[in-house]
Amino acid sequence: MSTHFPTLLTEASQTYKPLLIPSRRGETIAQLHNRVATTLEGIIADIDAEVSALEAELPPDQRTSKSVLICAHAAPLIAMGRALTGHMPHDSSEEDFNVFTAGLSTFKRREASTPSAVQSADQHESSSEEPLAEGTTFIRASGSVPQWRNGRGVGGGWDCVANGDCSFLSGGAERGWSV
């Protein structure tokens, strides 16, 4: 991968400390979504800080858009799509984000939050369950689950512009998965 991503293994990546460590005892689907949202919020904040530092002394016309590639298994990818967009269906088994072998989903950061898309109160699951599984350890994350539902999304919210695209594969979409 270093051929295509030469900065992937930098000095900083060798001293990286995780944002949080998931529980070894498992978690519910709601807790998975909250853990993914918490992690993404931290990753996005790290990237925003790095980009700001790199572009601090550049004139505006030399600043460019940035991309991030995240590779993961199916369930966390579905949770990522939901955490980025802020759209959590009432039924978690709803097939809203397509995940296939080698599929590619693309998300574009929203320019600004629109008041109609964001409600004032975040709706967590209507149970007495903890937002994160017992035993989840915060290392660098904020220590609380972000309010990402109701169209809010983490890191300012994102729009899905390509959902599980497999058009570049000779056999098309294969081995789809849902929650």
Side-chain angles (χ1 to χ4, degrees), residues 5 8 15 25 30 64 67 85 92-93 99 108 114 122 125 141 147-149 161 177:
F5 303 97
L8 187 64
T15 60
R25 296 179 215 120
T64 60
S67 297
T85 62
S92 65
S93 66
V99 289
K108 182 176 167 90
T114 56
D122 199 22
E125 299 299 310
Q147 294 184 350
W148 60 272
R149 289 179 174 81
V161 295
W177 196 86

Side-chain angles (χ1 to χ4, degrees), residues 45-56 58 63-66:
D46 286 351
I47 292 168
D48 284 347
E50 184 177 336
V51 168
S52 291
L54 289 171
E55 294 185 340
L58 291 177
R63 297 175 187 165
T64 60
S65 63
K66 307 292 186 258

Side-chain angles (χ1 to χ4, degrees), residues 103-171:
L104 178 67
S105 292
T106 305
F107 296 85
K108 182 176 167 90
R109 197 175 212 170
R110 296 180 191 140
E111 294 296 320
S113 295
T114 56
S116 61
V118 178
Q119 296 176 5
S120 60
D122 199 22
Q123 291 180 339
H124 287 282
E125 299 299 310
S126 59
S127 72
S128 59
E129 140 184 305
E130 291 296 316
L132 294 172
E134 183 181 339
T136 301
T137 307
F138 289 94
I139 305 297
R140 293 187 309 115
S142 69
S144 64
V145 175
Q147 294 184 350
W148 60 272
R149 289 179 174 81
N150 299 317
R152 185 177 285 116
V154 295
W158 303 73
D159 295 315
C160 183
V161 295
N163 186 357
D165 178 32
C166 293
S167 62
F168 54 89
L169 298 173
S170 61

